[in-house]
Amino acid sequence: MPNIVVLDAPSNLGLRPPAPGTVPGCYKLAGALREQRIVQRLRALEGGVVVPPRYDRGDWQEGDGVFNAAALASYTSKLADRIERHVRAGDFPLVLGGDCSINLGAALALRRIGRHGLAVLDASPDFRHPGNSDRVGAAGGEEVALATGRGQEDLTNLEGLRPYLRDEDVRYFGIRDCFEEDRAELADLKIPVVTVGDLREWGAESLASVTRQAFEIPELDGFWVHLDADVLDPTVMPAVDSPDPDGLTPDELVALLRPLLASPHCVGLNVTIYDPDLDPEGTAGALLTDIIVAALDRS
């Protein structure tokens, strides 16, 4: 089994400020999960930190494209360097975010290596782009669209490698049943979506196993898993920027993650969006750590 290497990517560059004069607190995610002894509990290796640029939207206004774009581009390349090194070495990077824009680092790293799939566990598709919205700006809600080549050149075509992911190599899990327009667009693009309702009808483990098999094909060099904490129901995970009701239970999430992460073709995992500022008692962070440890349990 590959060594798990815990790598911190404490970037909040892709989220809007929660209030004027403040910055999103998800950059504290890695520290909070480390306080829960995630490295020791996983018997993982230490991967260090990829330090992000300063959060500064400057004089950005709606309509200006993605804010923090230059900082995001430089950070994506820097994070990709670290992830690529570990994947090529045969390690399993566990990347602790940060907001969902850190997934661009993984996507770019894997694009350098070959062709990879992506399993997205998220309450929303993060597929906002100029073709479907006039509110493009926060890359944390747009990273899958950017990774598949939709959006501005300075983020979608780093190193001339657009797209980092092919549409047909993306799979979604845990999307809330209410996102009908998003689901319709994804269906038109033939990107499979498993909603919370679908998951409960067919079973988390069964659906994950089917997806795992779909990724274990000669055309793909492996796949990555992206976990946004808001896929969980806000009754157990309120510490996210956009808590949507009717999410997954912890047991459902573990059942979904285990088959995916157990695949020898799975090359890494991102964990994003949990905000310790919204979790003063630390209970949500403890739960998230327990879920990750249980899902990666190799005993």
Side-chain angles (χ1 to χ4, degrees):
M1 299 294 289
N3 292 318
I4 298 172
V5 179
V6 177
L7 175 63
D8 294 6
S11 173
N12 58 1
L13 295 170
L15 290 187
R16 299 177 189 271
T22 65
V23 299
C26 62
Y27 72 94
K28 301 176 184 179
L29 180 156
L33 269 58
R34 284 177 176 273
E35 285 188 348
Q36 296 292 329
R37 303 184 71 253
I38 190 168
V39 177
Q40 295 87 342
R41 292 168 66 185
L42 288 170
R43 299 185 294 280
L45 301 179
E46 178 57 67
V49 183
V50 181
V51 179
R54 181 170 175 262
Y55 186 100
D56 183 5
R57 300 199 306 168
D59 58 359
W60 179 89
Q61 297 180 24
E62 293 285 352
D64 289 347
V66 176
F67 57 73
N68 291 326
L72 279 162
S74 66
Y75 189 67
T76 294
S77 295
K78 189 176 176 182
L79 180 57
D81 290 344
R82 294 282 287 278
I83 293 173
E84 178 187 5
R85 187 172 75 205
H86 287 299
V87 173
R88 287 190 184 277
D91 298 328
F92 183 96
L94 168 57
V95 185
L96 305 179
D99 71 72
C100 292
S101 67
I102 68 162
N103 198 37
L104 289 171
L108 177 61
L110 298 178
R111 176 67 177 84
R112 292 171 179 172
I113 296 170
R115 177 181 169 187
H116 289 75
L118 175 68
V120 182
L121 283 61
D122 200 332
S124 58
D126 288 356
F127 207 74
R128 185 174 56 240
H129 58 83
N132 64 18
S133 176
D134 58 2
R135 292 203 74 237
V136 167
E142 301 158 10
E143 85 283 350
V144 182
L146 291 165
T148 54
R150 296 168 173 86
Q152 58 198 65
E153 183 87 0
D154 55 350
L155 292 173
T156 61
N157 198 27
L158 293 168
E159 303 171 20
L161 291 176
R162 179 168 62 192
Y164 316 134
L165 295 166
R166 301 187 190 189
D167 291 350
E168 62 265 32
D169 297 336
V170 177
R171 304 286 189 277
Y172 282 100
F173 291 93
I175 303 298
R176 302 300 195 261
D177 294 81
C178 60
F179 288 102
E180 294 181 4
E181 289 185 14
D182 303 83
R183 288 162 52 204
E185 179 182 12
L186 295 169
D188 287 343
L189 296 169
K190 296 181 171 54
I191 299 177
V193 175
V194 173
T195 67
V196 174
D198 295 332
L199 188 142
R200 287 178 178 152
E201 180 177 358
W202 298 100
E205 186 174 353
S206 296
L207 289 170
S209 296
V210 168
T211 296
R212 167 180 167 163
Q213 293 169 14
F215 282 144
E216 294 175 348
I217 58 173
E219 291 81 4
L220 291 178
D221 298 295
F223 68 96
W224 187 270
V225 177
H226 173 68
L227 171 60
D228 182 329
D230 72 12
V231 76
L232 288 162
D233 192 84
T235 59
V236 295
M237 179 52 66
V240 296
D241 63 311
S242 298
D244 292 308
D246 303 319
L248 300 184
T249 67
D251 287 347
E252 287 170 335
L253 181 52
V254 171
L256 187 56
L257 282 168
R258 270 184 175 156
L260 296 170
L261 299 179
S263 169
H265 294 261
C266 182
V267 298
L269 168 67
N270 285 331
V271 183
T272 62
I273 290 299
Y274 163 66
D275 185 344
D277 286 347
L278 304 176
D279 185 29
E281 301 300 320
T283 53
L287 173 65
L288 183 58
T289 306
D290 289 346
I291 288 170
I292 296 164
V293 171
L296 284 167
D297 183 17
R298 298 170 177 176
S299 60

